[in-house]
Amino acid sequence: MANLTAAHSRAGLSLAGRSAPSPAGGFGDSVGSVAGTVRDWILPPPSTTPVVVDPRRRRLILVELLVVLTVTTGLSALRSALSLVDALLAPTPLAQQQVVLNAPAADVELVDLALQLVRVLQLVGWGALGAYLLLRAGFTLRSVGLDASRPGRDLGGAMGLAALIGVPGLGLYLIARASGLSATIAPTTLGDTWWELPLLVASSAANAWAEEVVEVGYLLTRLRQLGWSANRAALASAFLRGCYHLYQGASGFFGNLVMGLVFARVWQRTNRLWMLVGAHTLINVVAFLGYVLLAGRVGWL
């Protein structure tokens, strides 16, 4: 997959060349170059992932996709949709209901901790499954952006993406909640335990790892092998991401739909999956730890 990396490198050089205004250019040229850069990012990028044409291999890929999604995010999407239906049919309005993301799983503290860690391990396993299946299919971790060649740029990109998604996402949640279209989301009710904060950080990273590897790195690669266009694959990935957040209400679905579209396009353009994992982790950590620190002190939580 070295050609994929080279293709993205060439695209970056081309964009850099277009964005530099000529010495004689004025404000209009600068605006035009920025518009051209934005347009290039919105338009679907070229793909060098070979399309599988052998009927038997295509069937195997399709079956693999169905199995992976059944045991991971696809089944979560179905449970989430059913949870939303149950919430909407309940006598209590959705806006007056509460959804807890990290709730106690047992009465005994150490047993609760063990069960929470098992949940984290399950999420790590989901992401590892997606990465492993790509390796078995002949791809390398570098080809999907899971290498350590650019840690500084990945971290900088992760911080920028987290700000781009996190701040508007919070605004969307508050609007949806005020409009009665979203339940109240409580990131944690684990209580005053010595392991609450480290567990929330571990859970944040595990969720980010599982979702980005399965929904972006694995799913988009496999769909491209089946001949799906970049836009169609990105929309399918984003729609699935929104569906397994339906239990939160409208804000959970639409917020994660937009996040999925942005993350899919960023990966298609940069080929850096660690950037997405980092951004998603930062969003989760800020939400979880911010809730612990601010709950009971600010009214809008």
Side-chain angles (χ1 to χ4, degrees):
M1 297 298 293
N3 289 337
L4 181 61
T5 305
H8 284 292
S9 298
R10 288 193 297 269
L13 290 172
S14 177
L15 288 177
R18 280 196 296 272
S19 61
S22 62
F27 178 76
D29 291 335
S30 299
V31 172
S33 65
V34 172
T37 300
V38 172
R39 183 173 59 251
D40 285 335
W41 273 80
I42 293 176
L43 292 175
S47 173
T48 57
T49 303
V51 176
V52 174
V53 295
D54 178 67
R56 180 177 178 276
R57 287 188 60 200
R58 290 178 64 87
R59 285 195 298 270
L60 288 175
I61 292 174
L62 181 59
V63 170
E64 180 188 286
L65 278 169
L66 293 175
V67 170
V68 170
L69 294 181
T70 297
V71 301
T72 60
T73 55
L75 198 60
S76 295
L78 180 59
R79 284 198 298 263
S80 183
L82 292 174
S83 295
L84 178 61
V85 171
D86 182 58
L88 292 174
L89 294 177
T92 303
L94 181 63
Q96 299 177 21
Q97 299 179 36
Q98 184 182 69
V99 173
V100 180
L101 303 185
N102 294 277
D107 294 327
V108 179
E109 182 177 325
L110 290 181
V111 176
D112 187 15
L113 173 60
L115 289 172
Q116 301 292 343
L117 292 175
V118 167
R119 177 175 172 270
V120 169
L121 184 60
Q122 180 185 38
L123 292 169
V124 173
W126 284 6
L129 174 63
Y132 171 75
L133 290 174
L134 288 178
L135 288 173
R136 284 293 303 267
F139 296 93
T140 64
L141 295 183
R142 183 182 181 88
S143 70
V144 294
L146 282 176
D147 61 286
S149 62
R150 301 192 302 181
R153 294 183 64 180
D154 286 342
L155 178 59
M159 295 174 65
L161 270 178
L164 177 67
I165 298 297
V167 175
L170 176 60
L172 177 62
Y173 162 67
L174 294 176
I175 292 173
R177 182 179 165 189
S179 304
L181 299 175
S182 176
T184 299
I185 300 174
T188 176
T189 56
L190 293 176
D192 188 20
T193 59
W194 61 268
W195 44 266
E196 180 184 27
L197 294 184
L199 178 74
L200 290 176
V201 173
S203 178
S204 298
N207 273 284
W209 162 259
E211 289 190 43
E212 303 315 324
V213 174
V214 173
E215 294 304 313
V216 179
Y218 171 78
L219 181 58
L220 293 186
T221 299
R222 284 315 218 179
L223 291 179
R224 290 299 293 137
Q225 284 188 290
L226 294 177
W228 286 44
S229 67
N231 282 346
R232 185 184 177 197
L235 182 59
S237 172
F239 179 76
L240 181 58
R241 188 190 296 258
C243 284
Y244 58 75
H245 289 89
L246 274 170
Y247 66 92
Q248 300 175 7
S251 64
F253 176 78
F254 288 107
N256 281 277
L257 177 68
V258 174
M259 175 179 173
L261 289 173
V262 173
F263 274 30
R265 182 61 93 234
V266 168
W267 181 76
Q268 290 170 338
R269 282 291 179 186
T270 66
N271 199 45
R272 300 305 303 167
L273 196 56
W274 277 128
M275 186 192 305
L276 306 188
V277 175
H280 197 154
T281 300
L282 287 173
I283 292 172
N284 289 347
V285 167
V286 170
F288 292 171
L289 300 192
Y291 182 85
V292 172
L293 296 174
L294 298 178
R297 296 179 174 86
V298 292
W300 51 268
L301 283 177

